[in-house]
């Protein structure tokens, strides 16, 4: 279960990084992700931050379960 959450976190980070890199080279338009007053880069960055948080929590739970 925890390893699946780690994989999901890494997947979120990887997809966000790929989208950001494609937007820097003008191969992908981030305006598709814009919502309300938030720009598209903020939304994609939020997914990357969510992936980092998911990884941190999952690795913490994994380490805690190994100690017990």
């Amino acid at each position: 279960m925890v390893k699946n959450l780690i994989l999901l976190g890494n997947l979120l980070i990887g997809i966000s990084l790929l989208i950001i890199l494609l937007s820097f080279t003008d191969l992908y338009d981030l305006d598709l992700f814009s919502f309300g007053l938030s720009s598209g880069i903020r939304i994609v960055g939020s997914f990357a931050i969510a992936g980092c948080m998911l990884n941190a929590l999952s690795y913490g739970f994994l380490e805690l379960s190994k100690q017990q």
Side-chain angles (χ1 to χ4, degrees), residues 39-58:
S39 64
I41 191 74
R42 267 191 161 168
I43 303 298
V44 175
S46 297
F47 282 115
I49 291 170
C52 290
M53 292 298 294
L54 196 58
N55 275 343
L57 289 172
S58 299

Side-chain angles (χ1 to χ4, degrees), residues 25-53:
T25 59
D26 288 332
L27 295 174
Y28 196 75
D29 189 22
L30 283 178
D31 287 336
L32 298 172
F33 292 105
S34 63
F35 179 75
L37 296 176
S38 294
S39 64
I41 191 74
R42 267 191 161 168
I43 303 298
V44 175
S46 297
F47 282 115
I49 291 170
C52 290
M53 292 298 294

Side-chain angles (χ1 to χ4, degrees), residues 1-67:
M1 166 86 177
V2 175
K3 291 183 180 181
N4 290 337
L5 290 175
I6 292 171
L7 183 65
L8 178 65
N10 287 335
L11 188 68
L12 280 173
I13 293 170
I15 290 172
S16 298
L17 179 66
L18 182 68
I19 290 173
I20 290 171
L21 288 176
L22 286 175
S23 72
F24 283 156
T25 59
D26 288 332
L27 295 174
Y28 196 75
D29 189 22
L30 283 178
D31 287 336
L32 298 172
F33 292 105
S34 63
F35 179 75
L37 296 176
S38 294
S39 64
I41 191 74
R42 267 191 161 168
I43 303 298
V44 175
S46 297
F47 282 115
I49 291 170
C52 290
M53 292 298 294
L54 196 58
N55 275 343
L57 289 172
S58 299
Y59 278 115
F61 286 137
L62 189 66
E63 198 171 306
L64 183 66
S65 67
K66 284 184 180 180
Q67 287 179 358

